[in-house]
Amino acid sequence: MGKCDTAPLADDVWSVMDSQITLDLEKLPGLSLKGGAGYMAGKGLAKPVLVVRGQDNNLYAYENACPHGGRKIDPVQGEARLRCCSVNHSTFDYNGKVLSGPAQHKHELRRLLTSQADGKLLISL
Ligand code: FES
């Protein structure tokens, strides 16, 4: 089955309005660390959304669903890659491009646009 390391974020640190997620970075010190990650689900989201602090220190957001079979995604610690939690472990670069695994025959991992303002991360759905 495979196992994910990334945990859901607490409900009180994020909200959804007008097709945009607002995430309060000041309440999420774990996301200031390279490799830090969490995901959001519910509140009307069509699919869970993963947020990752990359090894390049940028924040990234993705639909948290592998294009191969829909399993969740984790960052690979210490490396600038993401990995599907299924036993097949497809891997992706930070743009969502498939690097290895069965997802190569599918579409890319869907990356979501982000911006930051006033200590908040804004994610466009
Ligand atoms: S669901 Fe991700 S590799 Fe199969």
Side-chain angles (χ1 to χ4, degrees):
M1 284 294 286
K3 176 182 163 303
C4 277
D5 294 326
T6 302
L9 298 177
D11 274 350
D12 64 347
V13 300
W14 64 280
S15 59
V16 185
M17 189 185 296
D18 297 333
S19 298
Q20 180 175 275
I21 296 174
T22 301
L23 188 57
D24 189 344
L25 294 173
E26 291 171 4
K27 292 182 181 171
L28 291 164
L31 275 182
S32 65
L33 306 172
K34 291 179 182 176
Y39 73 87
M40 295 154 276
K43 300 187 186 182
L45 292 177
K47 290 188 179 171
V49 170
L50 173 70
V51 61
V52 173
R53 173 72 70 178
Q55 297 300 318
D56 57 5
N57 218 22
N58 291 318
L59 281 166
Y60 297 94
Y62 307 89
E63 269 189 7
N64 197 7
C66 176
H68 176 237
R71 297 297 304 275
K72 289 189 172 68
I73 305 291
D74 275 339
V76 178
Q77 295 303 319
E79 298 179 30
R81 294 188 300 149
L82 305 161
R83 188 176 75 171
C84 174
C85 303
S86 78
V87 291
N88 291 314
H89 289 322
S90 286
T91 60
F92 309 87
D93 70 15
Y94 286 153
N95 290 320
K97 182 170 176 267
V98 184
L99 300 173
S100 66
Q104 289 179 95
H105 306 293
K106 305 283 182 177
H107 298 293
E108 296 180 349
L109 180 65
R110 183 165 175 247
R111 185 177 165 192
L112 303 172
L113 289 177
T114 62
S115 60
Q116 290 185 56
D118 300 328
K120 309 274 195 277
L121 179 70
L122 309 175
I123 303 170
S124 298
L125 297 170

